[in-house]
Amino acid sequence: MKNRIFILLCAIFCLVSVFAAGAAAKPFTLDPLPYASDALEPYIDKMTMEIHHGLHHQAYINNLNAQVQNFPQLEGMALEEMMAKISTFNMAVRNNGGGHYNHDLFWKVMAPPGQGGEPSAELLAAIEKAFGSLEEMKKQFNQAGATRFGSGWAWLIVKDDKSLAVTSTPNQDNPLMDIAEVKGAPILALDVWEHAYYLSYQNRRGAYLDFWWKVVNWNEVNRRYAEAVR
């Protein structure tokens, strides 16, 4: 019953967002998942993926598109550029632009169990330099996600000096935003909003954090790291 109520509330929220977007211009669109919606099971269930991607992410995009009439410069703007000047927009752009960027990254840094590869030699060396070991980095990353009060994200980022850092942000903020306390290029992102894990884990966020490493797409993280340190 609790899960059914949660699903119903998610659907209502997202449908309201769809209608609110109305006939607004739609320069931002939802890409399909890079794998089947059940491909991350048993660690992330099919229904969570369908609701999260098809309803929640779509709602952020709809709401962002609705803001184009208020900020025409958004049309054609890259998400990274939008994040870099997010303080010049209203909260609707900050929340929904951030939601679009964050989720677009989130889907890509996950892969079906056994298909995500391993950290590259270069990334592993950087992790060991910054944190001492891969396990210590995971520990700090999990801590960032577990201690984020309410809703938000945990991140592994490359800072301006090319070193790695773990950080977290509230709501749909991210380290690319000009208002972020700790800035850098995100190479790994974890959504710790309840809708990302509640159907399978309920209030056990720690279990979700632990199992999530089973679906990390290190191949994509390696690519993003190499690009960030070029």
Side-chain angles (χ1 to χ4, degrees):
M1 176 63 72
K2 187 180 293 184
N3 284 356
R4 290 176 184 170
I5 294 172
F6 181 79
I7 293 169
L8 179 61
L9 290 173
C10 286
I12 291 172
F13 164 77
C14 295
L15 286 173
V16 167
S17 297
V18 169
F19 289 122
K26 296 178 173 58
F28 300 100
T29 57
L30 179 66
D31 290 337
L33 288 170
Y35 34 73
S37 58
D38 62 353
L40 304 185
E41 291 187 339
Y43 306 108
I44 302 180
D45 64 276
K46 178 181 180 180
M47 184 173 291
T48 291
M49 291 299 294
E50 291 176 344
I51 294 171
H52 198 175
H53 175 262
L55 295 179
H56 284 279
H57 190 176
Q58 183 67 66
Y60 290 122
I61 292 172
N62 293 339
N63 291 333
L64 179 60
N65 283 329
Q67 290 300 311
V68 173
Q69 59 188 327
N70 298 324
F71 301 98
Q73 65 269 35
L74 289 173
E75 189 162 4
M77 181 179 289
L79 289 173
E80 290 81 3
E81 181 184 357
M82 187 190 307
M83 299 302 102
K85 55 180 69 172
I86 204 69
S87 63
T88 66
F89 299 109
N90 61 16
M91 284 301 297
V93 174
R94 175 174 167 178
N95 290 335
N96 293 289
H100 183 19
Y101 174 87
N102 295 355
H103 285 88
D104 187 66
L105 173 59
F106 184 51
W107 312 131
K108 293 171 182 174
V109 296
M110 295 189 292
Q115 298 182 27
E118 299 292 339
S120 65
E122 294 77 14
L123 176 58
L124 186 59
I127 288 172
E128 290 174 344
K129 180 178 181 180
F131 305 100
S133 68
L134 178 60
E135 288 307 309
E136 179 61 24
M137 185 277 287
K138 290 181 178 180
K139 179 180 177 181
Q140 292 187 30
F141 190 96
N142 283 7
Q143 182 71 4
T147 57
R148 169 49 60 189
F149 183 77
S151 301
W153 293 75
W155 307 91
L156 178 65
I157 64 172
V158 178
K159 298 192 296 184
D160 286 345
D161 64 2
K162 309 302 183 183
S163 66
L164 295 176
V166 164
T167 186
S168 70
T169 55
N171 303 315
Q172 294 298 348
D173 288 358
N174 63 60
L176 285 181
M177 291 181 172
D178 58 358
I179 49 83
E181 291 183 7
V182 181
K183 297 180 177 62
I187 62 172
L188 186 61
L190 176 58
D191 189 345
V192 294
W193 284 61
E194 281 193 344
H195 62 243
Y197 61 87
Y198 194 84
L199 294 183
S200 291
Y201 299 95
Q202 288 80 51
N203 66 329
R204 296 177 294 118
R205 184 187 287 186
Y208 164 64
L209 293 166
D210 289 337
F211 282 118
W212 179 75
W213 292 102
K214 302 288 188 181
V215 296
V216 168
N217 184 0
W218 287 108
N219 296 319
E220 177 66 12
V221 179
N222 293 336
R223 186 192 70 78
R224 290 178 178 272
Y225 174 71
E227 184 177 288
V229 297
R230 266 198 314 225

